[in-house]
Amino acid sequence: MFEPFYPDYYVSSAYAIDYRKLYDSGVRGVIFDVDNTLVPHDAPADNRAKRLFQEFHTMGMETCLLSNNREPRVAGFAAEVGTKYIYKGNKPFVKGYVRAMELMGTSQDTTVFVGDQLFTDIWGANRAGIVSYLTMPIDPREEIQIVLKRWPEKAVLYFYRKKRGGESL
C-alpha cells in the first residue's frame, strides 16, 4: 500500500552518501532537491554544499537541482554551486525528473535522486524509475504545508522500517 513512497535508501544526510562509489558503479548524474536536503529552507549555499558540488565537478558527475520553489530561489542556489536547475518542477510528476536527466545527458539507469520529502521527492523519483535517496530534513523548522505532510510521512516510514527489518538511522 505504501510501497510507491518507499525510498530505495534512507540516509541521515545528502552529505553522508558515497558519491564516488556511485560514480564507480556507473551513476553519472544526481538530481537534488534543495530546501532541507542541501541547506535549511531558503538558506544560501553554504561551504559544505559548495564543496560537495566541486567534488562532483572534479569527478565528472553531472548534477541538477529539481525544486518546486520559484526561479529566484533555485537559480540563485544553482549559481552558487555551479549546476543546472529546474524550478517549479511540479514534483511528484515525472516530467521534471525526465527534463533533469535530459539536461544532464543521463538515463534512468545512470541517475539517482536525493531529497527529504516522501510525497513529492521520493514518490516522483520512484515514478520516474530513478533510484531514490531519502534524507532526514536538515532543519526541523519548516513551512506549515510541509509540517502537515510530515505526519503521514511518519506512518509511511514506520511501515518502511518494518518491511526493512527495523532499520533506522
Side-chain angles (χ1 to χ4, degrees):
M1 178 165 125
F2 293 126
E3 285 83 4
F5 305 107
Y6 289 174
D8 293 302
Y9 301 96
Y10 187 19
V11 297
S12 61
S13 166
Y15 300 98
I17 299 168
D18 187 343
Y19 296 103
R20 171 53 72 181
K21 185 176 178 182
L22 289 175
Y23 186 85
D24 291 345
S25 73
V27 171
R28 293 298 178 261
V30 183
I31 304 170
F32 284 99
D33 176 51
V34 180
D35 290 318
N36 244 353
T37 298
L38 293 168
V39 294
H41 189 77
D42 282 335
D46 58 17
N47 287 334
R48 184 167 68 160
K50 291 174 184 176
R51 280 193 307 271
L52 178 64
F53 280 82
Q54 183 55 52
E55 289 174 28
F56 288 130
H57 301 312
T58 300
M59 78 171 85
M61 181 84 83
E62 293 291 326
T63 57
C64 186
L65 305 177
L66 176 59
S67 175
N68 286 345
N69 214 325
R70 293 171 295 196
E71 186 172 20
R73 165 65 178 143
V74 185
F77 191 94
E80 289 183 277
V81 298
T83 191
K84 299 164 184 75
Y85 70 92
I86 298 168
Y87 67 97
K88 290 190 178 178
N90 293 314
K91 296 178 288 183
F93 295 106
V94 172
K95 186 177 179 181
Y97 298 84
V98 171
R99 180 70 183 128
M101 288 186 281
E102 290 170 354
L103 290 172
M104 295 187 300
T106 60
S107 66
Q108 293 169 312
D109 296 334
T110 61
T111 305
V112 299
F113 179 86
V114 181
D116 70 297
Q117 293 187 54
L118 288 177
F119 301 130
T120 54
D121 298 331
I122 301 305
W123 189 29
N126 292 346
R127 292 174 70 203
I130 303 168
V131 169
S132 59
Y133 283 80
L134 176 66
T135 67
M136 295 189 70
I138 289 176
D139 189 346
R141 294 172 292 162
E142 297 179 296
E143 295 177 333
I144 188 65
Q145 71 270 17
I146 296 170
V147 171
L148 294 174
K149 288 191 275 184
R150 295 294 185 197
W151 286 101
E153 280 187 358
K154 287 179 183 182
V156 173
L157 288 172
Y158 168 81
F159 290 104
Y160 169 79
R161 287 185 186 110
K162 190 171 179 178
K163 181 178 180 178
R164 300 278 171 127
E167 80 178 37
S168 62
L169 299 176

